[in-house]
Amino acid sequence: MEVHLSNMDQVFRTRLKNFRHNPPEEVWDNIQHKLEAKKDTGILWYRIAASIAVLMLIASFYFYVTYSSSFYTPETSPAFSEIIKPLKHSGSAATTPDVFNDDVTGEGLQALDRNFLHTQNIEVAIEPRSDKERIASLTPLPVYVHRQKSDPDIIIPRKQTRHSFFADIFPEFYTSSPSPEDYYSSPSREKKKWMLGGAFAPAYSYRHLTESSTIAGRNYYNNIESAVFSYSGGVNIQYKPQKRLTVQAGVYYSTMGQDMDHISVYANSVYPLIDEKYRDRYLNSYQITNSAGDISISSPLVFYDETVTARVENLDATKSEYNLTDPMFNKLNANLRQSFEYIEVPLIFRYKLVDKMIDINLIGGVGANFLVGNSVYLIYENSKDVIGKTNGVNDINYSGSFGLGLEYPILNNVNILIEPSIKYYLNPINSNSAVESHPYSLGIYTGVSYSF
């Protein structure tokens, strides 16, 4: 039968009208498992969301009850622009209002009629006060009225005590229940000139190549070297000559460094099997050039520069030739790292920008860094072995630092601090290198201090 292309649709509808093909059973099983897994996952997320909502509700109720009972409202303790002192009154105690024997809120005090005070022969005097006291009176304070046998009735404001989280945990340090704001504004704190503390910081460490280096050289080293994470920590002592100025000195231990990338490391699998008197043939001295100086390495390992330039020089190449395609050489997934260890003696100045419950300090200073460690590490899997050192590194380097600090009191004499800062070496780390490399680090110092 001849079929025209124009009738092709009709042929498919006629021939394939009742055609059906059942998918394999495992397809439906897989779909069923995925639907059940999706359903279980949805239920799990609903449960997690419900749990978080319940916890937030409980926490909100707790803080509402706790803090609402710790502060007075303007309705219960209005501000007064004058302090009233009854200087003279006549009559027996029986004629004196009972209200003078109780704690009276501002509302109750306003309810007292001045005419009634006049009928009781009570003279009222308004005490002149300074501008500072007038400003302080703007804060809503409760009023306490008391009676003494030898003194006339005096109406005085009772100081409001702010709720403190740390006062609940360490009540023995808060015998008079001061708040952190009271402590920071108290005259006794201003008299404390000395502070002893300590701090520690993880840091991001790298180096800056100055403009005296060639552009091609800077770009080249920036592409084959990378930053590392280091740390710094130590103790310090601070002196406060003025209210907002603090001078700090101390002793810190810090590390700086960088990684050398694109250098392949090969291990000689035959070396451990060679008799000891012949191993010297496979022990080679290498010199590797980088931005911090030349590195000297003596090792049975084979180092190969993957870049187009020859950073790696085998000083003992005449001993033997290496064919790195030979199966006896195994390429290691290793990394070379330069590390410099310093004892730092800084002189730091702190200027207090904000003097509140949380202080904000502007920090800056200089420091002398004494080299105590110079190592090149081979980092392979979980091991870190010293294989050499960097030549020509200065024994003393000078650095400048700048940062911003936050300070918060947790006890009467104890503060915690957080200080993000940057430290930059003012002189090149290696005076003999053709490239001027200035190490720097970015760290966030955290610590405590004790004032006395």
Side-chain angles (χ1 to χ4, degrees):
M1 181 181 65
E2 183 177 358
V3 179
H4 295 282
L5 294 177
S6 59
N7 298 327
M8 186 61 66
D9 292 341
Q10 182 66 28
V11 172
F12 278 106
R13 284 195 296 270
T14 304
R15 300 290 180 87
L16 301 178
K17 181 178 181 180
N18 297 321
F19 177 79
R20 290 183 180 182
H21 181 72
N22 295 325
E25 295 182 358
E26 57 269 17
V27 174
W28 292 111
D29 292 339
N30 292 335
I31 294 175
Q32 183 67 24
H33 289 316
K34 290 183 179 180
L35 291 175
E36 292 177 355
K38 185 175 181 180
K39 181 179 180 181
D40 294 340
T41 303
I43 294 175
L44 177 61
W45 283 110
Y46 281 121
R47 291 178 179 176
I48 294 176
S51 302
I52 294 175
V54 171
L55 291 176
M56 292 180 64
L57 181 62
I58 295 174
S60 301
F61 178 77
Y62 169 76
F63 283 107
Y64 173 78
V65 173
T66 302
Y67 286 93
S68 63
S69 62
S70 303
F71 293 92
Y72 293 97
T73 61
E75 289 79 7
T76 59
S77 62
F80 292 92
S81 60
E82 57 188 34
I83 299 177
I84 302 176
K85 287 189 176 182
L87 300 178
K88 179 181 177 181
H89 67 87
S90 62
S92 62
T95 61
T96 305
D98 293 336
V99 71
F100 284 107
N101 296 321
D102 300 323
D103 287 350
V104 182
T105 63
E107 182 180 358
L109 186 61
Q110 288 179 341
L112 294 176
D113 190 354
R114 291 181 177 269
N115 294 328
F116 173 78
L117 296 176
H118 179 71
T119 58
Q120 297 298 319
N121 295 324
I122 298 177
E123 295 182 2
V124 179
I126 299 178
E127 206 177 68
R129 296 176 302 159
S130 63
D131 293 339
K132 182 177 180 181
E133 291 174 334
R134 291 192 184 98
I135 295 174
S137 67
L138 297 177
T139 304
L141 297 175
V143 176
Y144 176 72
V145 183
H146 67 89
R147 176 190 297 278
Q148 296 182 359
K149 293 182 180 180
S150 58
D151 298 331
D153 297 327
I154 300 176
I155 302 175
I156 61 174
R158 183 176 57 187
K159 190 175 182 65
Q160 176 179 334
T161 301
R162 173 170 287 188
H163 183 275
S164 174
F165 172 75
F166 292 99
D168 294 339
I169 301 178
F170 306 102
E172 63 275 11
F173 292 97
Y174 287 89
T175 55
S176 60
S177 300
S179 68
E181 290 180 349
D182 296 334
Y183 166 67
Y184 261 79
S185 60
S186 65
S188 61
R189 181 178 180 270
E190 299 298 333
K191 296 179 180 178
K192 295 176 180 178
K193 297 291 187 179
W194 295 91
M195 297 181 72
L196 184 66
F200 174 84
Y204 171 89
S205 175
Y206 201 31
R207 82 288 180 279
H208 171 244
L209 304 181
T210 61
E211 294 298 330
S212 59
S213 307
T214 62
I215 297 177
R218 291 200 306 272
N219 293 337
Y220 169 72
Y221 284 116
N222 288 334
N223 291 330
I224 63 175
E225 296 172 352
S226 57
V228 299
F229 285 96
S230 59
Y231 57 89
S232 176
V235 295
N236 60 74
I237 186 168
Q238 304 176 29
Y239 176 69
K240 189 175 183 181
Q242 298 180 5
K243 181 179 179 180
R244 291 183 177 270
L245 180 64
T246 304
V247 181
Q248 172 187 316
V251 178
Y252 283 74
Y253 172 84
S254 61
T255 61
M256 309 286 282
Q258 61 186 20
D259 280 345
M260 291 175 285
D261 303 329
H262 306 293
I263 293 181
S264 299
V265 182
Y266 294 84
N268 189 344
S269 59
V270 180
Y271 181 79
L273 306 178
I274 300 174
D275 191 273
E276 291 186 3
K277 61 181 180 180
Y278 299 110
R279 287 185 178 179
D280 182 63
R281 298 181 181 179
Y282 300 92
L283 188 63
N284 293 278
S285 298
Y286 293 90
Q287 180 172 292
I288 303 177
T289 304
N290 64 76
S291 61
D294 294 335
I295 296 174
S296 295
I297 298 176
S298 180
S299 174
L301 300 173
V302 179
F303 299 89
Y304 176 74
D305 188 5
E306 298 176 355
T307 64
V308 294
T309 59
R311 283 182 294 167
V312 179
E313 181 182 359
N314 186 355
L315 303 179
D316 295 326
T318 56
K319 288 184 178 180
S320 59
E321 295 182 358
Y322 297 107
N323 182 9
L324 298 180
T325 60
D326 194 309
M328 65 181 292
F329 295 103
N330 301 322
K331 186 176 181 180
L332 305 178
N333 185 19
N335 184 36
L336 291 180
R337 176 171 298 175
Q338 288 175 286
S339 178
F340 308 104
E341 303 171 58
Y342 292 95
I343 295 295
E344 179 186 3
V345 182
L347 180 62
I348 304 296
F349 296 89
R350 283 184 171 83
Y351 183 78
K352 189 170 295 184
L353 298 176
V354 178
D355 188 6
K356 296 293 184 181
M357 185 171 64
I358 297 180
D359 291 347
I360 300 179
N361 299 312
L362 186 65
I363 305 169
V366 294
N369 303 270
F370 301 90
L371 183 68
V372 295
N374 177 6
S375 302
V376 176
Y377 291 99
L378 177 71
I379 302 175
Y380 173 66
E381 295 181 347
N382 295 324
S383 64
K384 185 178 179 181
D385 301 323
V386 178
I387 60 173
K389 69 174 185 177
T390 305
N391 301 322
V393 179
N394 297 330
D395 292 331
I396 301 177
N397 289 276
Y398 299 97
S399 61
S401 61
F402 178 81
L404 199 66
L406 303 178
E407 189 175 356
Y408 180 79
I410 57 174
L411 299 175
N412 279 346
N413 297 324
V414 180
N415 302 329
I416 59 174
L417 56 90
I418 301 177
E419 297 179 350
S421 62
I422 178 172
K423 180 171 62 177
Y424 181 85
Y425 278 37
L426 303 177
N427 58 314
I429 190 175
N430 194 331
S431 302
N432 300 324
S433 177
V435 180
E436 291 190 1
S437 176
H438 297 258
Y440 66 85
S441 64
L442 300 171
I444 301 178
Y445 285 86
T446 57
V448 296
S449 62
Y450 175 80
S451 58
F452 58 95

